[in-house]
Amino acid sequence: METKDPPPFSTHSPHTVVTMKDTAEPFREEEDRINYPQLNDVYCSLPAVSCTEKIIICMDPSMETAGHVLKSKEGSNQESLINICKNALEMFICTKSAINKRHQFGLITLCNSAAWTRDPSSAKDEVIRDMRHLDPIDVEDIFDLTTLFAVVKNRVKLPVVTDPRTPPPYIVRLLFLYCRSDCIPLFLNGRESHREMIENPYFFFDVVYIHKPTNPERNRCRTIQERLWNVDPRPRSYKLDVTQTMTSLYDAMSKLLGHPLQRPLQKNLNFKPTPPYLD
């Protein structure tokens, strides 16, 4: 059955109130207005070149990744989500490095906020080593997206190209793996850094959301997915959903191997983003 495109960027009031269970005080998400249609015009006319990528891997080692188990397609093997994520990311890093040894990889750890772990470099073995050493940690009910874009802005310089026909020296891509079924990601302290990065056509935000089967009575997967899909509604960023098997996660990571300036728009492929209102 053909899926629908994801809904457009949220147009609700400047402050969205989200009430968390077991909490009397609501959390407020701050929101700016960005002219996405104008950005899309520039975004879709970028040069299709294979320049260096600075890929910042955002790894989620929340305690849920230790308890969530993915099975093989045949169901004969199973492994904890955190180990499968590490295996899939290692394969991704090694493959991208084999394609272009100039590609650089950095690492951010997703705790209650974003923690910078390693600067981007082409030393893939060091990034893999640091990722392998991440252990599951306890997290709260909300992840602050403001900290993610703020730390990237402070650590990575975005390329500036005055002529859109001129190839950039490099691009910056966040590869955001989120594995929580009850922890809603919100912008709690403004979107200034987010705005600056989204307005740069050579910044890309790819999302892989790995979660338990959606159940409105038992988790917040649909709400989380909707918010993640809306972080970067521009057409060149990919949004992938994983729920059940190891194979689905490996498949998702393989779809991210293409260079963002050369790969097709996701809406033109047969793995369109799953709308948040579907399982």
Side-chain angles (χ1 to χ4, degrees), residues 5 10 23 32 43 45 63 70-71 93 118 134 152 156 164 169 171 196 201 230 258 263-264 271:
D5 287 340
S10 176
T23 305
D32 288 336
Y43 202 53
S45 61
M63 193 61 69
L70 292 183
K71 297 182 179 180
I93 292 171
R118 173 167 285 277
L134 293 178
V152 175
V156 181
I171 66 166
E196 181 175 327
N230 283 337
R263 66 190 183 187
F271 56 92

Side-chain angles (χ1 to χ4, degrees), residues 47 49-52 159-161 163-171 202 259 261:
V49 295
S50 181
C51 60
T52 299
V160 177
V161 179
D163 185 349
R165 296 170 297 181
T166 302
Y170 61 88
I171 66 166
Y202 297 110
H259 196 290
L261 290 177

